[in-house]
Amino acid sequence: MDGDALHTIGDLARLTGLRVKAIRFYSDRGIVPPTGRSPSGYRLYDDAALARLDLVRTLRDLGLDLATVRKIVNRETTLPEVAAVHAAALDARIRTLRLRRAVLMAVAGRGATPEEMDLMHKLARLTQDERRRLIAEFLDAAFGGLDAGFAGAARSMTPELPDDPGPEQIEAWVELAELSQDPGFRSGMRLLAEQHAADRADGGVTVPRRDAVAIARDKAAPALEASIAPSSPAAGPIVDAVVAEYARLVCRRDDDELRRRLLTRLEAAEAPGRERYLHLLAVINGWAAPPALAPALGWSVQALRARMAG
């Protein structure tokens, strides 16, 4: 093609695949102005205008608005600057679409009602800061005002929903968010924290260490493996070992009062909400599933009651 050739709008339409109406629109807006006019008054365009039109089409295909396109072709702004802004906007849009997709898949998978779907969508679309504030308020209710050693526990109980969550993470987040607002669960967690703080204070420490739950879990595990019944005589020495270690922990002697205190600790920890929260937390954060506490705690509570009754 002759580099000095001029093209009509019809020529540009054939060369670019754009409609005549679209080319005339860009020309009228001054984005691709004509190079000149034919003797009969028709608009004519040179090869530079053809290249400019190709750029306009590409920018529009990428989703840029008309005002931004005009600034780029008129060199009022740089293409890299615009590209960076729009790439960030697309990233945000992609995250939103992925989140919506995960919500819909979760709804389909669990057979949710319209009301449940509405709640799920509202909780899932919270911003990261909003999610953190919701959980921070719960953790403050559970651990606020206690010793500084609980700061680490609060951090370890904070869910971090990823930018591209799967349906199972969405479901886990929604359930965890609902659980964190349940008054019964909140009061139970506060009771556990206060009991743990009291044990640490009696033991003269303010740093994390093994608590009554960990002691009972570790001592009961072999009994469970050996199928020792909680009420059997063989459970007695295991209970005594649990009580002895707990007595050392809180610097108290082994007596009926201490055993009642230990029993209240284990009964509070046996509440299903606590273990459920930790399971949901692991799903959301992509952690390995925590070991189940219910069997060991249940055995320990029954064995301690039987020992105290005997």
Side-chain angles (χ1 to χ4, degrees):
M1 179 187 294
D2 184 356
D4 295 326
L6 295 178
H7 313 286
T8 64
I9 287 182
D11 293 334
L12 293 183
R14 287 189 295 273
L15 290 169
T16 64
L18 290 169
R19 292 184 302 166
V20 168
K21 183 178 179 181
I23 298 171
R24 185 175 291 114
F25 174 82
Y26 294 136
S27 183
D28 290 343
R29 295 299 186 279
I31 296 174
V32 185
T35 307
R37 295 267 180 176
S38 70
S40 55
Y42 291 107
R43 286 178 276 201
L44 299 174
Y45 302 86
D46 60 13
D47 287 345
L50 176 61
R52 188 180 176 104
L53 188 59
D54 278 334
L55 174 59
V56 170
R57 180 179 58 181
T58 299
L59 295 174
R60 292 292 280 169
D61 285 347
L62 288 172
L64 275 64
D65 61 87
L66 203 61
T68 301
V69 169
R70 179 184 287 106
K71 289 180 179 180
I72 292 172
V73 297
N74 290 338
R75 300 188 182 278
E76 296 173 15
T77 187
T78 67
L79 183 57
E81 290 172 345
V82 173
V85 171
H86 279 264
L90 283 174
D91 283 342
R93 179 64 175 166
I94 289 169
R95 286 194 295 271
T96 299
L97 290 174
R98 285 174 172 168
L99 189 61
R100 290 177 181 173
R101 177 178 180 271
V103 168
L104 290 172
M105 291 180 67
V107 168
R110 69 189 295 185
T113 65
E115 293 76 18
E116 289 173 330
M117 184 185 72
D118 182 56
L119 175 62
M120 187 181 298
H121 187 227
K122 287 177 180 176
L123 288 173
R125 65 191 290 223
L126 293 176
T127 66
Q128 185 180 66
D129 286 343
E130 288 170 335
R131 290 195 296 268
R132 285 178 174 170
R133 282 197 296 271
L134 185 148
I135 298 301
E137 189 272 332
F138 155 67
L139 293 175
D140 183 65
F143 303 121
L146 302 178
D147 65 68
F150 283 95
R155 285 193 299 272
S156 70
M157 292 181 67
T158 300
E160 295 289 350
L161 191 67
D163 288 337
D164 186 15
E168 71 286 349
Q169 289 173 304
I170 290 290
E171 286 194 70
W173 158 248
V174 171
E175 185 178 343
L176 183 143
E178 292 177 299
L179 184 60
S180 73
Q181 304 306 301
D182 180 78
F185 174 67
R186 290 163 74 101
S187 62
M189 288 297 296
R190 181 66 186 187
L191 175 62
L192 278 172
E194 289 174 343
Q195 290 175 340
H196 190 37
D199 285 350
R200 288 186 0 184
D202 286 349
V205 298
T206 57
V207 295
R209 68 173 182 177
R210 280 166 57 80
D211 61 3
V213 174
I215 293 169
R217 176 197 63 206
D218 294 345
K219 298 293 185 185
L224 287 167
E225 292 178 4
S227 298
I228 296 174
S231 57
S232 70
I238 301 172
V239 171
D240 292 341
V242 171
V243 175
E245 187 169 343
Y246 179 66
R248 289 192 294 273
L249 176 73
V250 297
C251 300
R252 299 289 182 91
R253 63 188 179 88
D254 180 357
D255 57 17
D256 289 345
E257 181 182 352
L258 180 76
R259 293 189 174 218
R260 285 193 294 271
R261 172 173 169 170
L262 174 58
L263 181 60
T264 63
R265 301 293 192 264
L266 299 182
E267 287 174 336
E270 196 181 13
R274 174 180 180 272
E275 189 160 6
R276 185 60 182 167
Y277 184 99
L278 296 177
H279 171 77
L280 296 170
L281 181 68
V283 173
I284 296 167
N285 289 358
W287 297 342
L293 285 173
L297 284 175
W299 188 95
S300 298
V301 167
Q302 293 178 49
L304 183 55
R305 284 175 180 162
R307 191 72 166 164
M308 291 170 66

